[in-house]
Amino acid sequence: MHSAATDISSTGRPSSAAVSSPRVLIAAGGTGGHVYPAIAIADALQEECPDTEILFAGTKDHMEWHAVPDAGYDIRSIWISGFHRRLTLKNLLFPAKLSVSLVQSYSLVGTFNPDIVVSCGGYVAGPVGWVAARRGVPLVVQEQNSYPGVTNRILGRSAEMIFTAFEDANRYFPTGKTVVTGNPTRKALTTVDNEEAYRAFEFTPHQQTLLVLGGSGGARSINEAMIANIQHLHDELQLQVIWQCGPSYYDKYRNEAEQMELPNLRLQSYIRNMDQAYAAADLVVSRAGALSCSELALTGTPSILVPSPNVAGDHQTRNARSMADTGAAILVKDSNLKHSIVETVEQVLGNPDQLETMRRAARALAKPDAANMIATEILKITESKHTE
């Protein structure tokens, strides 16, 4: 057992001396919406208590396998995936994957011996969180969306505390366990130098920049709208464009874009330097995932939000509408984007007063302390465990 000295800082947070090297296992995977909040929590834990030992659990075939090491943290692999509604080879493998993932999770929890396990969602969080609860390890859940994912809803029954980004999510979890904190966001998004950001993309600050995001996997309808209108956006509106199309779409659109000769287009499968992308952008076209909305608010970036019609509970439409109602964003239906993107982009970028109003409205929605609030509560739980 680690020694435990009760030492609370003047801010009410456990100081780095409160718990000797607390050990935190974070399970998050699949998409940036799960992984980046997890990294933000890890960063906040290290800031609050530099001796914290942090280990991630993830899967090798998703973006966490690169994003987590890039952020400076170790990660271990769990072999798990989701269950598809139609009969596929992946479904036939699911029972074997589930069995192996439980064995791997027992080994990981037993070897690392965490003081607490944090579930930020994704399939990998299921077996890791389930094993933690069965072994008596304190479990907390961080839910990014107004409509929680299946994994977090199940784990919420065994969790000591559940951190939600939206009040709407609380009704899906046991009463008395939830705390509304907002979504954890990376502080690096607000500390980037604007001149360095332009240089990173070989852009000039004297032209407006459009940033187009489709989530870590890309969005088919956004990509189709872009390829149909990129020549006009680039040539007629004279925009610098950063377009993240997703790994599975990259080769197709790279070949098409190369034929158009667009020197101010930066087509990327995945953007690693999102801090610089936001800093360079005057306007963002994006899906309305919870993390995207939180990052747009934190960076004060005006946006055109295109909710995905294929998500549970239609939560992206709720997210986009809440942003649009405050004036921080414009909501465009997925089916209308291809025909309206040029007109909408031109309308917003051609109106400096509207851009400034949108920036202010976005910043007013930001919750920059979410990661620190969650880290504080996690350290309190580890402190309580050590004083039992």
Side-chain angles (χ1 to χ4, degrees), residues 35-79:
V35 175
Y36 287 120
I39 291 173
I41 292 170
D43 289 345
L45 284 166
Q46 297 255 278
E47 181 182 314
E48 296 285 332
C49 181
D51 292 333
T52 304
E53 297 182 42
I54 296 172
L55 181 65
F56 278 75
T59 54
K60 287 185 177 180
D61 54 349
H62 287 97
M63 55 90 64
E64 65 268 22
W65 202 247
H66 302 287
V68 169
D70 285 350
Y73 298 102
D74 290 334
I75 185 169
R76 298 291 181 270
S77 174
I78 301 294
W79 193 50

mmCIF file of all heavy atoms in Angstrom, residues 35-79:
data_model
loop_
_atom_site.group_PDB
_atom_site.id
_atom_site.type_symbol
_atom_site.label_atom_id
_atom_site.label_comp_id
_atom_site.label_asym_id
_atom_site.label_seq_id
_atom_site.Cartn_x
_atom_site.Cartn_y
_atom_site.Cartn_z
ATOM 1 N N VAL A 35 -11.076 9.357 -26.994
ATOM 2 C CA VAL A 35 -9.648 9.340 -26.664
ATOM 3 C C VAL A 35 -9.137 10.692 -26.193
ATOM 4 O O VAL A 35 -8.395 10.775 -25.200
ATOM 5 C CB VAL A 35 -8.831 8.843 -27.874
ATOM 6 C CG1 VAL A 35 -7.332 8.923 -27.589
ATOM 7 C CG2 VAL A 35 -9.226 7.405 -28.213
ATOM 8 N N TYR A 36 -9.518 11.774 -26.870
ATOM 9 C CA TYR A 36 -8.952 13.065 -26.500
ATOM 10 C C TYR A 36 -9.434 13.578 -25.137
ATOM 11 O O TYR A 36 -8.654 14.176 -24.385
ATOM 12 C CB TYR A 36 -9.187 14.088 -27.602
ATOM 13 C CG TYR A 36 -8.303 13.826 -28.803
ATOM 14 C CD1 TYR A 36 -8.843 13.559 -30.053
ATOM 15 C CD2 TYR A 36 -6.919 13.799 -28.665
ATOM 16 C CE1 TYR A 36 -8.027 13.288 -31.144
ATOM 17 C CE2 TYR A 36 -6.093 13.526 -29.750
ATOM 18 C CZ TYR A 36 -6.651 13.276 -30.981
ATOM 19 O OH TYR A 36 -5.837 13.000 -32.058
ATOM 20 N N PRO A 37 -10.695 13.365 -24.741
ATOM 21 C CA PRO A 37 -11.055 13.696 -23.360
ATOM 22 C C PRO A 37 -10.239 12.895 -22.350
ATOM 23 O O PRO A 37 -9.864 13.409 -21.285
ATOM 24 C CB PRO A 37 -12.544 13.333 -23.286
ATOM 25 C CG PRO A 37 -13.024 13.489 -24.680
ATOM 26 C CD PRO A 37 -11.889 13.011 -25.545
ATOM 27 N N ALA A 38 -9.949 11.620 -22.679
ATOM 28 C CA ALA A 38 -9.137 10.794 -21.779
ATOM 29 C C ALA A 38 -7.729 11.369 -21.634
ATOM 30 O O ALA A 38 -7.169 11.410 -20.529
ATOM 31 C CB ALA A 38 -9.072 9.359 -22.308
ATOM 32 N N ILE A 39 -7.152 11.816 -22.737
ATOM 33 C CA ILE A 39 -5.822 12.420 -22.683
ATOM 34 C C ILE A 39 -5.857 13.716 -21.884
ATOM 35 O O ILE A 39 -4.940 14.021 -21.105
ATOM 36 C CB ILE A 39 -5.291 12.661 -24.111
ATOM 37 C CG1 ILE A 39 -4.989 11.319 -24.792
ATOM 38 C CG2 ILE A 39 -4.038 13.530 -24.089
ATOM 39 C CD1 ILE A 39 -4.627 11.435 -26.261
ATOM 40 N N ALA A 40 -6.924 14.501 -22.043
ATOM 41 C CA ALA A 40 -7.053 15.746 -21.273
ATOM 42 C C ALA A 40 -7.119 15.457 -19.777
ATOM 43 O O ALA A 40 -6.527 16.191 -18.967
ATOM 44 C CB ALA A 40 -8.300 16.509 -21.728
ATOM 45 N N ILE A 41 -7.819 14.396 -19.397
ATOM 46 C CA ILE A 41 -7.879 14.012 -17.979
ATOM 47 C C ILE A 41 -6.500 13.592 -17.491
ATOM 48 O O ILE A 41 -6.071 13.973 -16.384
ATOM 49 C CB ILE A 41 -8.905 12.877 -17.774
ATOM 50 C CG1 ILE A 41 -10.323 13.391 -18.024
ATOM 51 C CG2 ILE A 41 -8.797 12.295 -16.360
ATOM 52 C CD1 ILE A 41 -11.373 12.294 -18.068
ATOM 53 N N ALA A 42 -5.790 12.819 -18.302
ATOM 54 C CA ALA A 42 -4.435 12.389 -17.930
ATOM 55 C C ALA A 42 -3.520 13.592 -17.722
ATOM 56 O O ALA A 42 -2.750 13.653 -16.754
ATOM 57 C CB ALA A 42 -3.869 11.455 -18.997
ATOM 58 N N ASP A 43 -3.598 14.563 -18.636
ATOM 59 C CA ASP A 43 -2.777 15.771 -18.507
ATOM 60 C C ASP A 43 -3.102 16.518 -17.216
ATOM 61 O O ASP A 43 -2.203 17.007 -16.516
ATOM 62 C CB ASP A 43 -3.011 16.699 -19.705
ATOM 63 C CG ASP A 43 -2.422 16.163 -21.001
ATOM 64 O OD1 ASP A 43 -1.598 15.223 -20.947
ATOM 65 O OD2 ASP A 43 -2.800 16.687 -22.071
ATOM 66 N N ALA A 44 -4.398 16.615 -16.903
ATOM 67 C CA ALA A 44 -4.804 17.320 -15.688
ATOM 68 C C ALA A 44 -4.348 16.582 -14.433
ATOM 69 O O ALA A 44 -3.950 17.209 -13.445
ATOM 70 C CB ALA A 44 -6.333 17.501 -15.673
ATOM 71 N N LEU A 45 -4.385 15.255 -14.463
ATOM 72 C CA LEU A 45 -3.898 14.467 -13.329
ATOM 73 C C LEU A 45 -2.408 14.717 -13.099
ATOM 74 O O LEU A 45 -1.968 14.882 -11.957
ATOM 75 C CB LEU A 45 -4.146 12.979 -13.573
ATOM 76 C CG LEU A 45 -5.575 12.491 -13.387
ATOM 77 C CD1 LEU A 45 -5.746 11.103 -13.985
ATOM 78 C CD2 LEU A 45 -5.955 12.479 -11.905
ATOM 79 N N GLN A 46 -1.633 14.758 -14.169
ATOM 80 C CA GLN A 46 -0.205 15.000 -14.045
ATOM 81 C C GLN A 46 0.071 16.418 -13.540
ATOM 82 O O GLN A 46 1.021 16.654 -12.802
ATOM 83 C CB GLN A 46 0.482 14.788 -15.396
ATOM 84 C CG GLN A 46 0.381 13.375 -15.911
ATOM 85 C CD GLN A 46 1.675 12.594 -15.765
ATOM 86 O OE1 GLN A 46 2.560 12.725 -16.590
ATOM 87 N NE2 GLN A 46 1.787 11.798 -14.722
ATOM 88 N N GLU A 47 -0.773 17.351 -13.939
ATOM 89 C CA GLU A 47 -0.629 18.731 -13.479
ATOM 90 C C GLU A 47 -0.939 18.834 -11.993
ATOM 91 O O GLU A 47 -0.235 19.520 -11.242
ATOM 92 C CB GLU A 47 -1.561 19.634 -14.284
ATOM 93 C CG GLU A 47 -1.487 21.105 -13.917
ATOM 94 C CD GLU A 47 -2.464 21.939 -14.723
ATOM 95 O OE1 GLU A 47 -2.540 21.740 -15.957
ATOM 96 O OE2 GLU A 47 -3.160 22.773 -14.125
ATOM 97 N N GLU A 48 -2.010 18.159 -11.565
ATOM 98 C CA GLU A 48 -2.422 18.203 -10.162
ATOM 99 C C GLU A 48 -1.464 17.425 -9.275
ATOM 100 O O GLU A 48 -1.136 17.852 -8.157
ATOM 101 C CB GLU A 48 -3.830 17.611 -10.014
ATOM 102 C CG GLU A 48 -4.924 18.369 -10.727
ATOM 103 C CD GLU A 48 -5.294 19.636 -10.005
ATOM 104 O OE1 GLU A 48 -5.138 19.691 -8.770
ATOM 105 O OE2 GLU A 48 -5.733 20.582 -10.683
ATOM 106 N N CYS A 49 -1.032 16.275 -9.757
ATOM 107 C CA CYS A 49 -0.177 15.386 -8.958
ATOM 108 C C CYS A 49 0.871 14.774 -9.895
ATOM 109 O O CYS A 49 0.627 13.741 -10.507
ATOM 110 C CB CYS A 49 -1.028 14.296 -8.294
ATOM 111 S SG CYS A 49 -0.088 13.147 -7.268
ATOM 112 N N PRO A 50 2.021 15.424 -10.028
ATOM 113 C CA PRO A 50 3.028 14.983 -11.011
ATOM 114 C C PRO A 50 3.503 13.550 -10.823
ATOM 115 O O PRO A 50 4.032 12.952 -11.771
ATOM 116 C CB PRO A 50 4.172 15.975 -10.787
ATOM 117 C CG PRO A 50 3.516 17.193 -10.217
ATOM 118 C CD PRO A 50 2.404 16.675 -9.360
ATOM 119 N N ASP A 51 3.329 12.984 -9.636
ATOM 120 C CA ASP A 51 3.780 11.612 -9.391
ATOM 121 C C ASP A 51 2.773 10.561 -9.860
ATOM 122 O O ASP A 51 3.031 9.365 -9.725
ATOM 123 C CB ASP A 51 4.058 11.403 -7.897
ATOM 124 C CG ASP A 51 5.262 12.201 -7.419
ATOM 125 O OD1 ASP A 51 6.146 12.476 -8.255
ATOM 126 O OD2 ASP A 51 5.319 12.545 -6.229
ATOM 127 N N THR A 52 1.635 10.999 -10.380
ATOM 128 C CA THR A 52 0.622 10.046 -10.815
ATOM 129 C C THR A 52 1.168 9.133 -11.922
ATOM 130 O O THR A 52 1.749 9.596 -12.894
ATOM 131 C CB THR A 52 -0.621 10.783 -11.367
ATOM 132 O OG1 THR A 52 -1.115 11.678 -10.372
ATOM 133 C CG2 THR A 52 -1.714 9.793 -11.732
ATOM 134 N N GLU A 53 0.976 7.828 -11.732
ATOM 135 C CA GLU A 53 1.359 6.851 -12.752
ATOM 136 C C GLU A 53 0.123 6.534 -13.586
ATOM 137 O O GLU A 53 -0.889 6.066 -13.051
ATOM 138 C CB GLU A 53 1.910 5.589 -12.099
ATOM 139 C CG GLU A 53 3.192 5.822 -11.305
ATOM 140 C CD GLU A 53 3.733 4.534 -10.709
ATOM 141 O OE1 GLU A 53 3.718 3.515 -11.413
ATOM 142 O OE2 GLU A 53 4.140 4.559 -9.527
ATOM 143 N N ILE A 54 0.220 6.782 -14.875
ATOM 144 C CA ILE A 54 -0.938 6.663 -15.770
ATOM 145 C C ILE A 54 -0.658 5.630 -16.855
ATOM 146 O O ILE A 54 0.406 5.645 -17.486
ATOM 147 C CB ILE A 54 -1.279 8.018 -16.405
ATOM 148 C CG1 ILE A 54 -1.699 9.017 -15.321
ATOM 149 C CG2 ILE A 54 -2.397 7.862 -17.443
ATOM 150 C CD1 ILE A 54 -1.867 10.439 -15.830
ATOM 151 N N LEU A 55 -1.609 4.741 -17.060
ATOM 152 C CA LEU A 55 -1.530 3.756 -18.130
ATOM 153 C C LEU A 55 -2.865 3.732 -18.860
ATOM 154 O O LEU A 55 -3.926 3.793 -18.232
ATOM 155 C CB LEU A 55 -1.225 2.365 -17.560
ATOM 156 C CG LEU A 55 -1.098 1.223 -18.577
ATOM 157 C CD1 LEU A 55 0.098 1.446 -19.498
ATOM 158 C CD2 LEU A 55 -0.974 -0.124 -17.857
ATOM 159 N N PHE A 56 -2.814 3.669 -20.187
ATOM 160 C CA PHE A 56 -4.026 3.587 -21.004
ATOM 161 C C PHE A 56 -4.253 2.155 -21.482
ATOM 162 O O PHE A 56 -3.301 1.409 -21.714
ATOM 163 C CB PHE A 56 -3.903 4.483 -22.233
ATOM 164 C CG PHE A 56 -4.221 5.928 -21.993
ATOM 165 C CD1 PHE A 56 -3.322 6.750 -21.329
ATOM 166 C CD2 PHE A 56 -5.416 6.479 -22.436
ATOM 167 C CE1 PHE A 56 -3.594 8.092 -21.112
ATOM 168 C CE2 PHE A 56 -5.710 7.818 -22.225
ATOM 169 C CZ PHE A 56 -4.793 8.627 -21.560
ATOM 170 N N ALA A 57 -5.519 1.806 -21.629
ATOM 171 C CA ALA A 57 -5.913 0.567 -22.305
ATOM 172 C C ALA A 57 -6.647 0.953 -23.577
ATOM 173 O O ALA A 57 -7.537 1.812 -23.556
ATOM 174 C CB ALA A 57 -6.813 -0.279 -21.408
ATOM 175 N N GLY A 58 -6.261 0.326 -24.695
ATOM 176 C CA GLY A 58 -6.884 0.647 -25.974
ATOM 177 C C GLY A 58 -6.787 -0.523 -26.926
ATOM 178 O O GLY A 58 -6.460 -1.649 -26.532
ATOM 179 N N THR A 59 -7.067 -0.256 -28.203
ATOM 180 C CA THR A 59 -6.972 -1.294 -29.224
ATOM 181 C C THR A 59 -5.968 -0.877 -30.289
ATOM 182 O O THR A 59 -5.820 0.312 -30.585
ATOM 183 C CB THR A 59 -8.342 -1.550 -29.878
ATOM 184 O OG1 THR A 59 -8.867 -0.310 -30.366
ATOM 185 C CG2 THR A 59 -9.312 -2.145 -28.878
ATOM 186 N N LYS A 60 -5.303 -1.856 -30.880
ATOM 187 C CA LYS A 60 -4.239 -1.566 -31.836
ATOM 188 C C LYS A 60 -4.763 -1.032 -33.171
ATOM 189 O O LYS A 60 -4.031 -0.373 -33.905
ATOM 190 C CB LYS A 60 -3.410 -2.827 -32.104
ATOM 191 C CG LYS A 60 -2.494 -3.212 -30.955
ATOM 192 C CD LYS A 60 -1.619 -4.394 -31.347
ATOM 193 C CE LYS A 60 -0.632 -4.741 -30.230
ATOM 194 N NZ LYS A 60 0.228 -5.892 -30.600
ATOM 195 N N ASP A 61 -6.008 -1.321 -33.510
ATOM 196 C CA ASP A 61 -6.503 -0.947 -34.833
ATOM 197 C C ASP A 61 -7.328 0.331 -34.830
ATOM 198 O O ASP A 61 -8.068 0.615 -35.770
ATOM 199 C CB ASP A 61 -7.319 -2.093 -35.437
ATOM 200 C CG ASP A 61 -8.444 -2.555 -34.524
ATOM 201 O OD1 ASP A 61 -8.474 -2.136 -33.357
ATOM 202 O OD2 ASP A 61 -9.290 -3.346 -34.991
ATOM 203 N N HIS A 62 -7.216 1.129 -33.758
ATOM 204 C CA HIS A 62 -7.918 2.410 -33.718
ATOM 205 C C HIS A 62 -6.945 3.534 -33.386
ATOM 206 O O HIS A 62 -5.785 3.292 -33.039
ATOM 207 C CB HIS A 62 -9.075 2.370 -32.712
ATOM 208 C CG HIS A 62 -10.240 1.565 -33.179
ATOM 209 N ND1 HIS A 62 -10.443 0.260 -32.803
ATOM 210 C CD2 HIS A 62 -11.258 1.869 -34.037
ATOM 211 C CE1 HIS A 62 -11.545 -0.207 -33.382
ATOM 212 N NE2 HIS A 62 -12.048 0.743 -34.139
ATOM 213 N N MET A 63 -7.443 4.770 -33.480
ATOM 214 C CA MET A 63 -6.563 5.931 -33.426
ATOM 215 C C MET A 63 -5.855 6.110 -32.082
ATOM 216 O O MET A 63 -4.812 6.755 -32.029
ATOM 217 C CB MET A 63 -7.346 7.195 -33.776
ATOM 218 C CG MET A 63 -8.588 7.454 -32.947
ATOM 219 S SD MET A 63 -8.291 8.423 -31.477
ATOM 220 C CE MET A 63 -7.754 9.935 -32.212
ATOM 221 N N GLU A 64 -6.370 5.530 -30.990
ATOM 222 C CA GLU A 64 -5.702 5.687 -29.695
ATOM 223 C C GLU A 64 -4.292 5.099 -29.685
ATOM 224 O O GLU A 64 -3.438 5.524 -28.904
ATOM 225 C CB GLU A 64 -6.529 5.057 -28.555
ATOM 226 C CG GLU A 64 -6.716 3.565 -28.615
ATOM 227 C CD GLU A 64 -7.980 3.148 -29.338
ATOM 228 O OE1 GLU A 64 -8.496 3.949 -30.153
ATOM 229 O OE2 GLU A 64 -8.462 2.035 -29.092
ATOM 230 N N TRP A 65 -4.060 4.104 -30.565
ATOM 231 C CA TRP A 65 -2.765 3.433 -30.574
ATOM 232 C C TRP A 65 -1.633 4.392 -30.960
ATOM 233 O O TRP A 65 -0.478 4.190 -30.602
ATOM 234 C CB TRP A 65 -2.800 2.226 -31.500
ATOM 235 C CG TRP A 65 -1.732 1.223 -31.163
ATOM 236 C CD1 TRP A 65 -0.640 0.884 -31.915
ATOM 237 C CD2 TRP A 65 -1.643 0.447 -29.969
ATOM 238 N NE1 TRP A 65 0.111 -0.055 -31.255
ATOM 239 C CE2 TRP A 65 -0.481 -0.349 -30.062
ATOM 240 C CE3 TRP A 65 -2.445 0.337 -28.820
ATOM 241 C CZ2 TRP A 65 -0.091 -1.230 -29.058
ATOM 242 C CZ3 TRP A 65 -2.059 -0.549 -27.821
ATOM 243 C CH2 TRP A 65 -0.901 -1.317 -27.950
ATOM 244 N N HIS A 66 -1.989 5.459 -31.685
ATOM 245 C CA HIS A 66 -1.010 6.478 -32.052
ATOM 246 C C HIS A 66 -1.188 7.747 -31.212
ATOM 247 O O HIS A 66 -0.205 8.374 -30.815
ATOM 248 C CB HIS A 66 -1.131 6.823 -33.534
ATOM 249 C CG HIS A 66 -0.950 5.640 -34.434
ATOM 250 N ND1 HIS A 66 0.282 5.055 -34.650
ATOM 251 C CD2 HIS A 66 -1.841 4.921 -35.152
ATOM 252 C CE1 HIS A 66 0.149 4.035 -35.469
ATOM 253 N NE2 HIS A 66 -1.133 3.921 -35.791
ATOM 254 N N ALA A 67 -2.438 8.141 -30.961
ATOM 255 C CA ALA A 67 -2.693 9.400 -30.265
ATOM 256 C C ALA A 67 -2.178 9.385 -28.832
ATOM 257 O O ALA A 67 -1.638 10.390 -28.344
ATOM 258 C CB ALA A 67 -4.193 9.712 -30.274
ATOM 259 N N VAL A 68 -2.328 8.271 -28.137
ATOM 260 C CA VAL A 68 -1.904 8.198 -26.732
ATOM 261 C C VAL A 68 -0.382 8.286 -26.596
ATOM 262 O O VAL A 68 0.126 9.103 -25.825
ATOM 263 C CB VAL A 68 -2.471 6.929 -26.060
ATOM 264 C CG1 VAL A 68 -1.839 6.698 -24.693
ATOM 265 C CG2 VAL A 68 -3.998 7.052 -25.924
ATOM 266 N N PRO A 69 0.409 7.490 -27.337
ATOM 267 C CA PRO A 69 1.864 7.658 -27.269
ATOM 268 C C PRO A 69 2.319 9.043 -27.721
ATOM 269 O O PRO A 69 3.276 9.600 -27.162
ATOM 270 C CB PRO A 69 2.397 6.570 -28.204
ATOM 271 C CG PRO A 69 1.331 5.526 -28.220
ATOM 272 C CD PRO A 69 0.047 6.296 -28.133
ATOM 273 N N ASP A 70 1.632 9.615 -28.719
ATOM 274 C CA ASP A 70 1.973 10.964 -29.161
ATOM 275 C C ASP A 70 1.804 11.973 -28.035
ATOM 276 O O ASP A 70 2.503 12.994 -27.980
ATOM 277 C CB ASP A 70 1.097 11.386 -30.346
ATOM 278 C CG ASP A 70 1.513 10.722 -31.650
ATOM 279 O OD1 ASP A 70 2.589 10.079 -31.677
ATOM 280 O OD2 ASP A 70 0.756 10.836 -32.636
ATOM 281 N N ALA A 71 0.862 11.703 -27.133
ATOM 282 C CA ALA A 71 0.626 12.590 -25.988
ATOM 283 C C ALA A 71 1.565 12.297 -24.825
ATOM 284 O O ALA A 71 1.537 13.009 -23.815
ATOM 285 C CB ALA A 71 -0.827 12.465 -25.530
ATOM 286 N N GLY A 72 2.389 11.249 -24.956
ATOM 287 C CA GLY A 72 3.390 10.961 -23.935
ATOM 288 C C GLY A 72 3.004 9.904 -22.916
ATOM 289 O O GLY A 72 3.647 9.791 -21.873
ATOM 290 N N TYR A 73 1.989 9.085 -23.228
ATOM 291 C CA TYR A 73 1.531 8.079 -22.270
ATOM 292 C C TYR A 73 1.681 6.670 -22.841
ATOM 293 O O TYR A 73 1.606 6.459 -24.059
ATOM 294 C CB TYR A 73 0.058 8.322 -21.895
ATOM 295 C CG TYR A 73 -0.152 9.659 -21.222
ATOM 296 C CD1 TYR A 73 -0.679 10.743 -21.932
ATOM 297 C CD2 TYR A 73 0.206 9.861 -19.892
ATOM 298 C CE1 TYR A 73 -0.862 11.974 -21.339
ATOM 299 C CE2 TYR A 73 0.032 11.092 -19.291
ATOM 300 C CZ TYR A 73 -0.502 12.138 -20.014
ATOM 301 O OH TYR A 73 -0.662 13.370 -19.422
ATOM 302 N N ASP A 74 1.854 5.713 -21.936
ATOM 303 C CA ASP A 74 1.948 4.308 -22.327
ATOM 304 C C ASP A 74 0.543 3.740 -22.536
ATOM 305 O O ASP A 74 -0.417 4.156 -21.873
ATOM 306 C CB ASP A 74 2.664 3.492 -21.249
ATOM 307 C CG ASP A 74 4.146 3.815 -21.170
ATOM 308 O OD1 ASP A 74 4.705 4.259 -22.188
ATOM 309 O OD2 ASP A 74 4.737 3.633 -20.086
ATOM 310 N N ILE A 75 0.454 2.757 -23.422
ATOM 311 C CA ILE A 75 -0.834 2.129 -23.695
ATOM 312 C C ILE A 75 -0.637 0.632 -23.862
ATOM 313 O O ILE A 75 0.394 0.186 -24.371
ATOM 314 C CB ILE A 75 -1.489 2.746 -24.964
ATOM 315 C CG1 ILE A 75 -2.903 2.185 -25.181
ATOM 316 C CG2 ILE A 75 -0.618 2.553 -26.196
ATOM 317 C CD1 ILE A 75 -3.704 2.948 -26.241
ATOM 318 N N ARG A 76 -1.620 -0.146 -23.397
ATOM 319 C CA ARG A 76 -1.615 -1.591 -23.542
ATOM 320 C C ARG A 76 -2.822 -2.010 -24.376
ATOM 321 O O ARG A 76 -3.887 -1.411 -24.303
ATOM 322 C CB ARG A 76 -1.661 -2.277 -22.167
ATOM 323 C CG ARG A 76 -0.471 -1.972 -21.286
ATOM 324 C CD ARG A 76 0.816 -2.607 -21.801
ATOM 325 N NE ARG A 76 1.942 -2.308 -20.918
ATOM 326 C CZ ARG A 76 2.734 -1.254 -21.029
ATOM 327 N NH1 ARG A 76 2.488 -0.371 -22.004
ATOM 328 N NH2 ARG A 76 3.721 -1.050 -20.204
ATOM 329 N N SER A 77 -2.646 -3.063 -25.138
ATOM 330 C CA SER A 77 -3.671 -3.495 -26.079
ATOM 331 C C SER A 77 -4.646 -4.493 -25.457
ATOM 332 O O SER A 77 -4.244 -5.417 -24.753
ATOM 333 C CB SER A 77 -3.007 -4.134 -27.303
ATOM 334 O OG SER A 77 -3.978 -4.691 -28.163
ATOM 335 N N ILE A 78 -5.923 -4.266 -25.754
ATOM 336 C CA ILE A 78 -6.987 -5.212 -25.422
ATOM 337 C C ILE A 78 -7.672 -5.582 -26.742
ATOM 338 O O ILE A 78 -8.037 -4.712 -27.531
ATOM 339 C CB ILE A 78 -8.016 -4.597 -24.453
ATOM 340 C CG1 ILE A 78 -7.341 -4.146 -23.151
ATOM 341 C CG2 ILE A 78 -9.145 -5.589 -24.170
ATOM 342 C CD1 ILE A 78 -6.765 -5.274 -22.314
ATOM 343 N N TRP A 79 -7.862 -6.880 -26.999
ATOM 344 C CA TRP A 79 -8.433 -7.348 -28.265
ATOM 345 C C TRP A 79 -9.955 -7.393 -28.153
ATOM 346 O O TRP A 79 -10.539 -8.336 -27.633
ATOM 347 C CB TRP A 79 -7.879 -8.743 -28.583
ATOM 348 C CG TRP A 79 -8.147 -9.197 -29.983
ATOM 349 C CD1 TRP A 79 -7.915 -8.514 -31.136
ATOM 350 C CD2 TRP A 79 -8.684 -10.472 -30.376
ATOM 351 N NE1 TRP A 79 -8.263 -9.277 -32.225
ATOM 352 C CE2 TRP A 79 -8.734 -10.485 -31.804
ATOM 353 C CE3 TRP A 79 -9.104 -11.610 -29.675
ATOM 354 C CZ2 TRP A 79 -9.201 -11.570 -32.518
ATOM 355 C CZ3 TRP A 79 -9.567 -12.699 -30.406
ATOM 356 C CH2 TRP A 79 -9.626 -12.674 -31.807
#
